[in-house]
Amino acid sequence: MSAKDFVAKTPDQLRDQLVALKKEAFNLRFQQATGQLENTARMRTVRRDVARIKTVLNQKAADAAAN
């Protein structure tokens, strides 16, 4: 997903999605450790989506603090 998609969501929705992505990242790491991971590019995508969500949440928090 792009950052524009995340900006349109509420902070609660972003936190829920962040939890889901962190669970997926854990499962992907587990699959990699056991040799069952087929789509290695998915790890990179999940990691970047987590970073995007954290960035958007920080921006929204800064905007709320400024107002």
Side-chain angles (χ1 to χ4, degrees), residues 1 6 21 42 44-53:
M1 295 183 84
F6 295 132
L21 284 171
R42 182 67 185 148
R44 181 180 183 180
T45 306
V46 169
R47 198 170 56 240
R48 288 185 176 191
D49 282 345
V50 166
R52 284 186 187 107
I53 289 176

Side-chain angles (χ1 to χ4, degrees):
M1 295 183 84
S2 69
K4 292 179 184 177
D5 298 333
F6 295 132
V7 171
K9 295 186 178 188
T10 66
D12 289 333
Q13 290 173 330
L14 290 173
R15 285 187 202 97
D16 291 342
Q17 192 164 5
L18 183 62
V19 169
L21 284 171
K22 285 188 175 187
K23 285 181 184 179
E24 183 178 355
F26 173 78
N27 289 333
L28 290 171
R29 285 194 308 270
F30 193 85
Q31 287 177 9
Q32 184 181 26
T34 58
Q36 298 175 349
L37 183 63
E38 294 179 5
N39 186 5
T40 56
R42 182 67 185 148
M43 291 182 71
R44 181 180 183 180
T45 306
V46 169
R47 198 170 56 240
R48 288 185 176 191
D49 282 345
V50 166
R52 284 186 187 107
I53 289 176
K54 286 183 175 182
T55 300
V56 170
L57 280 172
N58 286 335
Q59 288 173 345
K60 287 183 184 251
D63 288 345
N67 293 334

